[in-house]
Amino acid sequence: MTDVVIVGGGLAGGSAAAILARAGVRPLLLEREREPRDKICGEFLSAEAQAYLTAIGLDLGRLGGARIGAVRLISGRRSVVSPLPFTALGLTRRRLDEAVLGHAERSGACVERSVAVRSIAPGRLETSVGELEASTILLASGKHDVRGARRDVSGADQGMIGFKSYFRLSETMRAALQGFVEIVVFDGGYAGLQLVEDGVANLCLLVRRERFDAAGRTWPLLLGRLLAEPHLQARLGDAVELSARPLTISDVPFGFVHRSGGGWPSLFRLGDQAAVIASFSGDGMSIALHSASLAARAVLEGADAGAYHARLHADIARPVGLARWLQRRLEAWPGPQPALFALGLFPRALARLAAWTRVPEPALRVGLAGCVTPS
């Protein structure tokens, strides 16, 4: 029997593996993909996410992320700019996840790739290479549910479709985007645009299903409709799409937060298996890393999953709920958004709103302390 098995080698799984390994536990991490791959994500690393990654021993400076210091809010031909209360990084998940997974392996974790987990039961996993027994399971499979441990997402907001693609912008447009994350609100959804490493732009968007249907249910037709938005036309009209096809996902359960109970004492949910915050908040990766720290520390201290889930819920339920409310407002407001642009007139209000949709400072301090290996 293996003491600790981690399902999934993304940010949450890889970080938990690194924390456990650095503390002397050698977890077994199962990752279904053979090679690094892109994921649907805005790829916006907040200050909190950077602090977590630094705390587990990762050198972010070597990864070449694009620095982001301000947000530009756009609707139609109107735009406002506000500084962020921190300097963010734009960094692809392909590069970041691989760096975290490699760091976990160098720290002492056992990483097995190309192993898919098909089902989970107390103390047992059915995988693509056979059955495996485990005393503790950390479920970090992202947005992919595993049979026997599916999330209860009833009550969450579903029905939107997500798309992500990379573009090579013109030199002029790349310079205009440098240092910004842009949020473009349009009828039926919103898009985020920012630079990542190597001067590439990440376009990540959410649209209501009816908007996608009206566009003809294909990415080229949807993109053509989006380019009718003046700002996106300016940015992407002469850009080269680098992705052979966009990544897509549907029915992401925004607002979901797992509550304690409904599982067993040795099953810990991490990342999107524990909570899904609205993507525009830019805090999804921070929450994933926070859950990894709390779960790893609970395992090291012999606490059960119920106590861990209760603690995580107390830390993140409010910011996830507020972000859900704000996303509903974005979805409900077609055309120019006076209330949205009022935020741009008051940088302090925007900074406070950003703080309210993030892991609270006291919880963050506890989480960061949990990343440090006792001497």
Side-chain angles (χ1 to χ4, degrees):
M1 174 179 286
T2 303
D3 287 338
V4 180
V5 173
I6 301 174
V7 181
L11 278 189
S15 297
I19 295 168
L20 290 169
R22 283 155 57 92
V25 175
R26 191 167 190 258
L28 170 62
L29 186 149
L30 305 177
E31 166 56 41
R32 66 178 189 167
E33 301 294 335
R34 180 183 297 276
E35 302 291 341
R37 66 184 181 93
D38 294 316
K39 296 179 180 178
I40 291 190
C41 179
E43 300 179 329
F44 177 93
L45 270 175
S46 66
E48 296 86 352
Q50 293 174 60
Y52 269 114
L53 292 166
T54 299
I56 68 170
L58 193 70
D59 184 358
L60 284 171
R62 295 186 175 185
L63 301 183
R67 295 174 64 84
I68 300 170
V71 57
R72 183 179 282 126
L73 309 174
I74 303 110
S75 182
R77 298 185 181 278
R78 301 179 62 191
S79 68
V80 293
V81 172
S82 287
L84 291 169
F86 50 79
T87 298
L89 285 179
L91 188 62
T92 60
R93 290 293 300 275
R94 172 187 287 267
R95 182 171 294 185
L96 179 59
D97 286 13
E98 186 64 13
V100 172
L101 201 55
H103 176 63
E105 200 164 16
R106 290 189 298 273
S107 298
C110 178
V111 176
E112 293 189 9
R113 299 175 185 256
S114 299
V115 179
V117 176
R118 294 170 175 167
S119 67
I120 296 177
R124 191 180 75 254
L125 304 93
E126 182 64 35
T127 79
S128 56
V129 295
E131 189 172 289
L132 180 65
E133 293 184 347
S135 57
T136 300
I137 300 171
L138 274 58
L139 183 57
S141 56
K143 297 176 176 64
H144 303 282
D145 284 329
V146 178
R147 191 169 70 246
R150 296 184 183 279
R151 296 168 294 178
D152 179 6
V153 298
S154 57
D157 291 344
Q158 300 182 72
M160 297 194 81
I161 303 174
F163 296 87
K164 171 186 167 178
S165 192
Y166 292 113
F167 291 82
R168 179 75 66 185
L169 306 184
S170 69
E171 183 176 346
T172 300
M173 289 298 101
R174 187 167 62 250
L177 185 58
Q178 186 75 44
F180 290 92
V181 56
E182 296 184 333
I183 300 175
V184 183
V185 181
F186 51 84
D187 187 10
Y190 61 92
L193 185 67
Q194 66 176 53
L195 296 178
V196 290
E197 68 267 22
D198 304 323
V200 171
N202 171 336
L203 175 70
C204 204
L205 59 106
L206 282 167
V207 297
R208 289 201 291 259
R209 189 175 296 276
E210 54 267 31
R211 173 70 188 262
F212 182 55
D213 291 343
R217 299 181 59 82
T218 71
W219 169 247
L221 290 174
L222 176 63
L223 182 59
R225 292 283 187 95
L226 292 177
L227 292 182
E229 297 291 329
H231 189 83
L232 290 177
Q233 172 60 38
R235 288 284 185 265
L236 304 176
D238 58 355
V240 176
E241 188 168 9
L242 302 178
S243 304
R245 63 178 65 182
L247 297 177
T248 63
I249 193 167
S250 63
D251 296 329
V252 179
F254 292 113
F256 160 73
V257 180
H258 179 73
R259 293 180 177 273
S260 57
W264 53 88
S266 59
L267 177 66
F268 296 75
R269 294 180 181 272
L270 283 64
D272 283 349
Q273 284 293 308
V276 181
I277 192 168
S279 56
F280 76 89
S281 72
D283 208 39
M285 288 192 277
S286 174
I287 287 176
L289 292 163
H290 184 64
S291 70
S293 174
L294 294 187
R297 186 54 52 184
V299 170
L300 291 171
E301 294 174 353
D304 66 28
Y308 153 75
H309 288 128
R311 176 60 185 268
L312 182 63
H313 187 277
D315 287 349
I316 66 174
R318 182 177 179 181
V320 170
L322 177 59
R324 178 187 188 183
W325 181 86
L326 289 168
Q327 177 160 295
R328 286 176 173 177
R329 303 288 77 75
L330 288 176
E331 292 178 42
W333 289 336
Q337 310 296 327
L340 177 66
F341 285 97
L343 292 175
L345 303 177
F346 303 99
R348 289 184 181 180
L350 184 61
R352 179 165 294 184
L353 190 62
W356 285 346
T357 57
R358 314 197 97 69
V359 177
E361 183 65 30
L364 181 67
R365 288 197 297 269
V366 172
L368 288 171
C371 295
V372 179
T373 303
S375 57

